[in-house]
Amino acid sequence: MADIVLNQLVKEYPGGVRAVDSLDLTIADGEFFALLGPSGCGKTTLLRSIAGLETVTGGSITIGGRDVTRLAPGDRDVAMVFQDYALFPHMTVRDNIAYPLRIKKVAKAERHAKADETAEGLSLGGLLERRPGQLSGGQQQRAALARAVACHPQVFLFDEPLSNLDARLRLEARTFLKRLQRDLGVTTVFVTHDQAEALAMSDRMAVMQAGRIRQIGTPKEVFQRPTSTFVAGFIGSTPMNLLDAAVDRDTVTVAGAVLPLPDSARGHVRDGEKVVFAARPEYLTLRAEPTAGGIEGVVAIVENMGVGALVSLDAGDDVIVQVTVPEGQEPEPGTRGWAVAAPERVLLYRAGDGELVGSAQPEPALTGS
Ligand code: ATP
């Protein structure tokens, strides 16, 4: 068992920056867990704290039930892969992969055999005598992974390991890494600022802001039911529509359209309360005829997305509503349209603090701070 338990973890840098702020988090054995958030939210500091590369200022870290809070990195049984791979340029690929085993004083023949076997599994078999400078970016990334895999750690810690790859290779590496982690079953913490990467790869993910976790859940939960406008605005390849709205008894008025109040918001909002209406462009449909509950506007921009298009509808008063439309149904710019939300997909947030007040979906169990 190699679950990771963080209890009231704090990392305060000199000068008073709380990069990790009283954080509670449990990552299950064998789980692929993504840490996501904007630049400076504390993802890397949290990962480095688990690795032992930062000395925490408060709280505790256990791995597989063992308190590692004060242990040196080498005694934690974790392997970290960095964004820049951190391969030794003067060593061959074989020696790079075998390096952690050398530190552990594994005999030369055994560590070379282990390095060769791991390299073979990661399609690096023909490259063992090369130096990192003679490898492509993707090959360097695999060499860094092989080095992490060869020493059979209890935990993998990945700090944006795909961000130096070009878009195509990145997609391939994503699938490859996911499969590797699943085959090995090693508990993995993966830091990224790319929401698509976190959604695609993780079993569960946490969205961080200013040293704290704003939301934790499966990619589906976080995508479909962000619990704050902060998370709603951060997740999704097309930005969520977040529109000023007001509650009027059993209805919500948004950009001139009147919609039913979502069931789960009943009893949680006051008559006349200002709220934020939220719906993903993918959960809106565009009609060419006046439609009840539809937000009316003029098609301002049509962006080709390959399969389908993203339409920006200008609803007046500086309100833009975005809707995705299927291939072949792209409207002409300048024409009138009505954006209709699927009622079960509408979310309402408090105008004041941006917290979710209701949706028609059941509330998933949430843990974490
Ligand atoms: P990025 O995605 O840009 O790497 P991040 O989410 O990983 O960002 P961290 O690098 O963990 O964020 O930084 C968290 C906060 O701690 C930031 O405000 C940063 O300025 C601060 N910080 C990081 N390292 C130090 C340091 N050595 N001394 C002081 N402050 C630091």
Side-chain angles (χ1 to χ4, degrees), residues 15-338:
V17 177
R18 276 207 162 202
V20 177
D21 193 1
S22 308
L23 202 130
D24 289 316
L25 175 64
T26 299
I27 298 168
D29 180 41
E31 191 169 32
F32 195 124
F33 193 91
L35 285 173
L36 179 70
S39 183
C41 71
K43 313 178 287 291
T44 297
T45 302
L46 180 55
L47 197 75
R48 289 174 56 86
S49 300
I50 300 171
L53 299 171
E54 299 287 352
T55 311
V56 296
T57 31
S60 66
I61 305 168
T62 62
I63 297 177
R66 192 168 64 114
D67 189 338
V68 301
T69 319
R70 304 283 154 210
L71 293 186
D75 297 330
R76 296 191 181 201
D77 205 6
V78 302
M80 189 150 170
V81 176
F82 299 90
Q83 182 173 352
D84 62 2
Y85 313 135
L87 295 167
F88 297 111
H90 61 284
M91 287 187 194
T92 62
V93 169
R94 176 180 286 117
D95 287 340
N96 263 288
I97 298 173
Y99 185 75
L101 299 171
R102 194 171 118 195
I103 298 297
K104 285 187 178 172
K105 307 229 180 318
V106 174
K108 190 171 181 176
E110 192 184 332
R111 64 177 191 255
H112 277 185
K114 190 79 217 155
D116 289 10
E117 180 195 322
T118 312
E120 199 57 51
L122 293 174
S123 309
L124 289 166
L127 307 172
L128 283 160
E129 297 303 329
R130 292 206 196 164
R131 294 182 202 285
Q134 299 166 313
L135 300 180
S136 72
Q139 290 165 341
Q140 287 183 36
Q141 190 243 11
R142 276 185 277 137
L145 279 175
R147 186 175 57 185
V149 170
C151 58
H152 281 294
Q154 278 199 301
V155 169
F156 286 141
L157 301 172
F158 293 143
D159 190 3
E160 308 229 15
L162 310 184
S163 58
N164 283 347
L165 303 177
D166 67 43
R168 174 81 200 213
L169 205 53
R170 201 171 165 144
L171 280 182
E172 280 173 26
R174 201 156 96 175
T175 312
F176 170 81
L177 190 57
K178 174 91 181 143
R179 182 173 306 145
L180 180 73
Q181 193 271 343
R182 183 158 294 171
D183 291 349
L184 298 174
V186 175
T187 312
T188 299
V189 189
F190 183 96
V191 160
T192 179
H193 63 264
D194 179 345
Q195 55 86 34
E197 214 160 82
L199 287 174
M201 297 175 78
S202 68
D203 297 317
R204 276 192 316 149
M205 59 196 276
V207 182
M208 289 183 68
Q209 183 187 29
R212 289 173 176 254
I213 292 177
R214 288 301 303 267
Q215 186 168 0
I216 186 165
T218 64
K220 254 201 179 111
E221 284 164 1
V222 177
F223 182 81
Q224 292 184 348
R225 199 170 181 282
T227 53
S228 61
T229 48
F230 172 78
V231 176
F234 199 75
I235 302 285
S237 47
T238 53
M240 182 102 126
N241 291 294
L242 295 169
L243 308 173
D244 291 342
V247 175
D248 184 7
R249 275 174 291 184
D250 285 346
T251 60
V252 188
T253 304
V254 49
V258 180
L259 297 111
L261 189 69
D263 281 348
S264 54
R266 286 172 206 274
H268 298 290
V269 280
R270 292 182 321 276
D271 193 18
E273 185 172 336
K274 299 252 178 290
V275 290
V276 175
F277 168 96
R280 293 201 179 281
E282 296 86 348
Y283 296 151
L284 293 171
T285 45
L286 188 66
R287 304 272 169 74
E289 305 294 331
T291 309
I295 301 171
E296 183 180 356
V298 175
V299 174
I301 297 180
V302 179
E303 292 168 57
N304 181 9
M305 298 202 303
V307 180
L310 180 67
V311 177
S312 295
L313 204 62
D314 184 346
D317 290 335
D318 292 332
V319 176
I320 301 288
V321 183
Q322 292 194 304
V323 187
T324 55
V325 298
E327 201 175 353
Q329 293 182 26
E330 298 86 350
E332 280 300 317
T335 56
R336 230 154 239 291
W338 283 259

